[in-house]
């Protein structure tokens, strides 16, 4: 079959840190040449979609702003559609704050005004922020996260991701998240497939993380391809509750699938 849409993860799939995965530009070019709509979907909320588009273009993958979606943009779109008038306390970095504010969400640091707590990857997370979250979260507060990732792949290994902040706040408040908005949520599926104009069943997802990329793809009915250049490796496959349709050493092997499926 020909895929109407192909979703590529970024960190660990197309690049690691400041280094492109060898063969990635050619693989993306092949996907586009096969007639598929291509969308880059990242759970990393520390940059805005136009920054990712510029970075991909610099890597030799010409990309328009609308071809990139990340957990920050998904969170902003969902809050704008469902809770536009509720002030939010953000545990996260400035690009996420800017994304929410551009969507018309009031961002506050006052726990007394807070009606939503948005938790994300925050490389400046500290005790003061944890105290603010503790004061803000009560039974009426909507408690959401941009993404659930434990770590983020970088060039020389991994760094802590949003799970660390989520766990700290859940630990001190006794509250569990109400929902995750990025991968692997149905919210991410709906926004991504709407952006591409295709159904999940006609979509291929290429990613490096079993518990977000592959889980989202399998649960929504997408065809899935795991690449072994990022967070998950072959040993993780043995205990994974969600099995990908294909496993590739890297994105460079993708054209083989497209030549079969196209």
């Amino acid at each position: 079959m020909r895929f109407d849409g192909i979703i590529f993860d970024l960190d660990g799939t197309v690049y690691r840190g400041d280094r492109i995965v060898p063969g990635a530009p050619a693989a993306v070019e092949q996907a586009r040449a096969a007639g598929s709509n291509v969308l880059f979907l990242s759970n990393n909320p520390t940059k805005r979609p136009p920054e990712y588009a510029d970075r991909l273009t610099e890597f030799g993958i010409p990309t328009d702003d609308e071809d990139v979606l990340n957990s920050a943009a998904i969170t902003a779109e969902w809050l704008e559609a469902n809770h536009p008038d509720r002030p939010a306390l953000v545990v996260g970095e400035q690009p996420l704050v800017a994304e929410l504010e551009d969507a018309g969400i009031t961002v506050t640091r006052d726990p007394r005004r807070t009606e939503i707590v948005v938790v994300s990857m925050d490389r400046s997370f500290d005790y003061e922020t944890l105290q603010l979250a503790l004061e803000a979260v009560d039974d009426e507060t909507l408690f959401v996260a941009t993404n659930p990732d434990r770590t983020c792949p970088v060039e020389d290994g991994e760094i802590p991701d949003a799970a660390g902040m989520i766990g700290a706040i859940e630990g001190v408040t006794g509250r569990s998240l109400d929902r995750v908005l990025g991968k692997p949520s149905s919210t991410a599926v709906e926004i991504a497939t709407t952006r591409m104009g295709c159904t999940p069943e006609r979509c291929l997802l290429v990613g490096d993380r079993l518990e977000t990329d592959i889980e989202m793809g399998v649960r929504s009915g997408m065809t899935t391809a795991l690449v072994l250049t990022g967070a998950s490796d072959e040993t993780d496959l043995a205990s994974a509750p969600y099995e990908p349709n294909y496993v590739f050493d890297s994105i460079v092997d993708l054209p083989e699938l497209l030549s079969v499926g196209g």
Side-chain angles (χ1 to χ4, degrees):
M1 62 178 290
R2 182 182 69 83
F3 299 108
D4 294 336
I6 299 179
I7 296 174
F8 289 98
D9 174 56
L10 288 177
D11 294 293
T13 300
V14 176
Y15 54 72
R16 286 194 69 127
D18 294 325
R19 181 172 298 178
I20 191 77
V21 171
V28 174
E29 182 180 357
Q30 176 71 22
R32 288 170 169 165
S36 301
N37 290 324
V38 168
L39 180 72
F40 299 97
L41 175 58
S42 174
N43 259 0
N44 190 328
T46 62
K47 292 182 177 64
R48 304 186 71 180
E51 296 179 73
Y52 284 113
D54 290 344
R55 189 178 199 194
L56 287 165
T57 299
E58 291 172 1
F59 276 140
I61 304 173
T63 304
D64 294 329
D65 293 353
E66 60 268 23
D67 295 332
V68 182
L69 190 63
N70 73 340
S71 60
I74 291 169
T75 300
E77 184 170 331
W78 186 83
L79 289 177
E80 181 182 19
N82 295 279
H83 302 283
D85 301 320
R86 301 181 68 181
L89 174 72
V90 177
V91 178
E93 301 186 11
Q94 185 56 37
L96 171 60
V97 172
E99 203 71 33
L100 297 182
E101 290 179 335
D102 281 359
I105 306 301
T106 298
V107 175
T108 181
R109 296 286 287 176
D110 184 350
R112 295 168 298 180
R113 295 187 61 208
T114 298
E115 297 182 24
I116 304 171
V117 171
V118 180
V119 188
S120 187
M121 181 179 180
D122 185 356
R123 288 168 292 183
S124 63
F125 185 71
D126 57 15
Y127 198 85
E128 179 184 358
T129 302
L130 186 60
Q131 178 67 37
L132 289 175
L134 173 62
E135 294 175 14
V137 174
D138 59 31
D139 292 340
E140 305 300 320
T141 307
L142 180 64
F143 184 22
V144 301
T146 57
N147 61 294
D149 302 62
R150 293 181 298 102
T151 61
C152 177
V154 293
E155 189 171 339
D156 56 353
E158 295 180 311
I159 59 174
D161 207 317
M165 292 86 241
I166 295 167
I169 295 171
E170 287 183 332
V172 299
T173 63
R175 276 280 307 275
S176 297
L177 284 173
D178 291 312
R179 65 189 302 156
V180 169
L181 295 165
K183 296 179 290 185
S185 75
S186 59
T187 304
V189 173
E190 180 180 353
I191 291 176
T193 53
T194 298
R195 177 77 64 91
M196 290 189 297
C198 70
T199 63
E201 293 76 15
R202 298 287 298 173
C203 184
L204 169 67
L205 187 148
V206 183
D208 71 302
R209 192 180 290 272
L210 285 161
E211 65 269 26
T212 51
D213 298 314
I214 303 307
E215 178 177 339
M216 184 183 85
V218 172
R219 284 170 50 188
S220 64
M222 297 177 185
T223 302
T224 57
L226 177 73
V227 294
L228 302 177
T229 50
S232 299
D233 59 29
E234 288 181 313
T235 60
D236 298 319
L237 284 165
S239 58
Y242 297 95
E243 183 177 350
N245 298 101
Y246 302 93
V247 179
F248 296 139
D249 287 335
S250 81
I251 195 174
V252 73
D253 298 317
L254 179 64
E256 179 182 343
L257 170 60
L258 297 179
S259 65
V260 173

